[in-house]
Amino acid sequence: MTQYHPLTPQEAIELSKTLPGPFTADANLDCREIGDGNLNLVFHITDQNSDKSIIIKQALPYAKVVGESWPLSLVRARIEREILQEEYRLCPGMVPEVYHYDDDLALTVMEDLSDHVIMRKGLIDGASYPLFAQHIGEFMARTLFFTSDLGMNQQQKKEQLGKFINPDQCKITEDLIFDEPYRIAINNNYDAAIEDEAEALRTDEQLHLEIALLREKFLTHGQALLHGDLHTGSIFVTPQSTKVIDPEFAFYGPMGFDVGAVLANLLLHYVSLSGRIKEPSARRERESELLHMVEDVWNEFETRFRALWDSSLIDPMAKTPGYQNMYVQQLFRDATGFAGTKMVRRIVGLAHVADIDTIEDASERERAQRKALAVGKALIKNNRQVNTINEVLDLVSTTLTTV
């Protein structure tokens, strides 16, 4: 049994030399630590004599963003690796392939995606991804349907649910998304200019009621095996390809949480555009593109999810007329509410988004923050009433006229 310790770059190189497959005996290996996340070391190993490369991701026993005062279980590395393997089985080509793993060292060796870019960065740079909605709609439909009681044996699902209990990561989500933004908390982080908004979050009882209901659903509704952190910083893209990474927050929860996370991050980028694009017609064109992407993500997901229901359903009672429509409607409402919680937490919580934080003009950055909070609160407060994605987009538009 290997004793756990954080790898150094040289140790990552030595490990790579022992792996079967990727590198030849005369490989001249170089290593860079490229992790910019909050929880892990990420080593990029390249052979200077060829074009071959791999990624080694190692979990740390604490939150890197805070330090050793915030301990975390290394079990999440095993969960992430097994989730990647499961997602690869369900959606081959849409997640990095796992080549090797070592649970004692809490590390996974996987496909290098350096020919892709992180979607958040690509959007900030102005890139367009015309196939993204189709790809992510397919990914979410297949991973959620086939890990739920609709698409897999119910007893096997219960075994999976126990296998993927992820208490440390879930605790982070429970606190950062469903608790701390609505009270004074040490982890909260926001500009002094929006103190009035933070105070409003702490005193809005209508908002708190909806948060309590969404929190209860997150805590108790083990619908399907979620990615758990499906934002544009966890997706690699090119105009032709989409690859989902970093499922270390995976657990059995409500389907709408994953769907809502994607919608929220597209909307966060949308509200940042007034601070990024000065020319009015170019800004309107980009805003329209983002709103169409939001619409298309839901529509592509719903179409594919319903198609799987029609072709691959194994639960006989779920064939009852009317049940599919009720199920999908509730999933949509959940996604709307969870999208709102994601938007709020990215403005006042511990970890923000570069879409907004990198707006150079302070007044424009504040404006984008206020817009994000207004949209987030509107989605949360109206999640139990909306029925269609167009209603949600109308709600976004109406809300922003008041900011």
Side-chain angles (χ1 to χ4, degrees), residues 119 129-141 259 262-263 266-267 287-305 332 388-390 392-393:
M119 187 176 185
Y129 301 105
L131 299 181
F132 171 72
Q134 297 175 36
H135 292 165
I136 204 67
E138 179 78 3
F139 175 83
M140 293 190 298
V259 181
V262 176
L263 301 179
L266 295 177
L267 288 171
E287 287 174 340
S288 177
E289 180 183 344
L290 261 293
L291 290 181
H292 277 110
M293 187 181 290
V294 170
E295 180 181 9
D296 290 346
V297 164
W298 170 258
N299 287 337
E300 294 285 353
F301 166 74
E302 180 183 6
T303 298
R304 285 163 168 73
F305 189 84
F332 175 70
T388 68
I389 190 63
N390 287 328
V392 166
L393 296 179

Side-chain angles (χ1 to χ4, degrees), residues 72-132:
L72 293 172
S73 169
L74 294 173
V75 171
R76 72 182 194 276
R78 188 269 303 168
I79 290 175
E80 177 176 12
R81 180 258 305 171
E82 292 184 348
I83 294 294
L84 282 173
Q85 292 171 318
E86 177 71 359
E87 289 173 345
Y88 193 90
R89 181 183 70 82
L90 293 171
C91 299
M94 291 198 66
V95 298
E97 184 176 0
V98 172
Y99 299 143
H100 175 78
Y101 62 90
D102 185 322
D103 287 340
D104 293 330
L105 286 173
L107 65 80
T108 302
V109 181
M110 66 187 86
E111 177 185 359
D112 178 21
L113 301 178
S114 294
D115 56 338
H116 291 58
V117 299
I118 291 289
M119 187 176 185
R120 192 181 307 285
K121 182 181 185 303
L123 290 175
I124 290 172
D125 290 343
S128 296
Y129 301 105
L131 299 181
F132 171 72

Side-chain angles (χ1 to χ4, degrees), residues 274-375:
S274 59
R276 296 190 164 280
I277 305 175
K278 300 305 180 186
E279 204 283 310
S281 63
R283 183 174 65 248
R284 286 193 295 270
E285 181 178 351
R286 184 65 165 174
E287 287 174 340
S288 177
E289 180 183 344
L290 261 293
L291 290 181
H292 277 110
M293 187 181 290
V294 170
E295 180 181 9
D296 290 346
V297 164
W298 170 258
N299 287 337
E300 294 285 353
F301 166 74
E302 180 183 6
T303 298
R304 285 163 168 73
F305 189 84
R306 287 183 181 273
L308 291 173
W309 191 305
D310 293 340
S311 67
S312 304
L313 186 71
I314 67 168
D315 183 353
M317 291 305 294
K319 297 177 181 178
T320 304
Y323 181 62
Q324 182 187 122
N325 287 338
M326 294 178 67
Y327 193 105
V328 173
Q329 181 189 62
Q330 186 58 57
L331 198 168
F332 175 70
R333 290 174 171 173
D334 292 348
T336 300
F338 287 128
T341 67
K342 288 282 203 174
M343 295 185 73
V344 168
R345 86 89 164 180
R346 288 294 193 176
I347 304 303
V348 300
L350 179 64
H352 296 180
V353 290
D355 313 62
I356 291 175
D357 275 10
T358 58
I359 296 174
E360 293 183 3
D361 184 275
S363 62
E364 289 289 354
R365 187 168 60 250
E366 177 187 340
R367 184 177 177 214
Q369 292 167 345
R370 291 181 182 275
K371 289 162 71 173
L373 289 173
V375 171

Side-chain angles (χ1 to χ4, degrees), residues 122-194:
L123 290 175
I124 290 172
D125 290 343
S128 296
Y129 301 105
L131 299 181
F132 171 72
Q134 297 175 36
H135 292 165
I136 204 67
E138 179 78 3
F139 175 83
M140 293 190 298
R142 291 188 63 83
T143 57
L144 296 176
F145 182 87
F146 284 116
T147 61
S148 76
D149 292 310
L150 301 170
M152 72 179 300
N153 175 276
Q154 286 84 13
Q155 281 61 51
Q156 290 179 346
K157 182 208 161 186
K158 291 178 177 65
E159 292 175 0
Q160 284 237 107
L161 194 152
K163 182 179 179 183
F164 292 116
I165 287 175
N166 200 354
D168 281 3
Q169 305 305 97
C170 286
K171 175 63 172 169
I172 293 173
T173 303
E174 292 153 17
D175 290 347
L176 295 188
I177 297 180
F178 300 105
D179 178 13
E180 291 172 354
Y182 308 98
R183 62 180 178 86
I184 295 174
I186 192 170
N187 286 324
N188 287 342
N189 175 29
Y190 53 85
D191 292 340
I194 60 167

